[in-house]
Amino acid sequence: MKIKSVFDDNEKIPPKYTCDGKNVNPPLEFIDVPKNAKSLVLIVEDPDSPSGVWSHWVMWGIPANTRRIPEDSVPSNAVEGVNDFGDYGYGGPCPHSGTHRYQFKLYALDIELNSSKDMTKNNIENAIKFHIIDKASLIGLYSR
């Protein structure tokens, strides 16, 4: 399984998708999702945050047949949880200093995850840990 976007792995995220631009999610493409997947989970996080790993986007209930998430959109029936900004939905890169890595992590699950909208990244990671059948990651870089 792979994730693609408008930036390559370990390349710079265009400012449009950050707090310095429109602060909308970049378009994503999912390739080779397992045929037996029941649903997908997407987590975007910054492991370089001085306060610890910072979640920027937590989304589950993504239909397993989803192959694209267009810019500034959410797949139908998907649920966006609480990010570390305290908001629901996407919060773009906005590092205080230096270059940070932003990990777009996709998980294919053997279940359909039906959880409360108030779930955080940690809640979701605990809920899926025994149901992951495949995973993929795309790392984007950003500095201000």
Side-chain angles (χ1 to χ4, degrees), residues 9-131:
D9 197 36
N10 287 302
E11 295 294 330
K12 188 173 181 180
I13 297 171
K16 175 181 188 178
Y17 306 111
T18 73
C19 69
D20 296 318
K22 291 186 176 181
N23 205 24
V24 296
N25 69 275
L28 300 171
E29 183 179 355
F30 306 148
I31 300 163
D32 296 331
V33 174
K35 292 184 188 328
N36 60 334
K38 301 268 196 253
S39 69
L40 304 173
V41 169
L42 180 69
I43 295 173
V44 179
E45 62 187 16
D46 172 6
D48 301 317
S49 171
S51 59
V53 178
W54 188 269
S55 69
H56 285 261
W57 200 15
V58 182
M59 183 170 30
W60 62 91
I62 303 168
N65 64 353
T66 301
R67 295 299 173 264
R68 288 188 169 78
I69 298 178
E71 174 183 299
D72 194 22
S73 69
V74 173
S76 60
N77 299 323
V79 179
E80 293 179 293
V82 181
N83 61 36
D84 283 338
F85 296 105
D87 296 325
Y88 295 93
Y90 178 81
C94 198
H96 292 289
S97 64
T99 299
H100 287 220
R101 294 169 295 153
Y102 296 88
Q103 299 174 326
F104 290 72
K105 301 188 320 187
L106 180 68
Y107 299 93
L109 306 181
D110 63 2
I111 61 169
E112 290 185 26
L113 190 62
N114 296 313
S115 297
S116 161
K117 184 176 175 133
D118 295 327
M119 300 287 274
T120 65
K121 176 183 78 94
N122 291 339
N123 299 138
I124 293 300
E125 286 176 337
N126 285 331
I128 70 173
K129 65 183 165 187
F130 299 115
H131 298 285

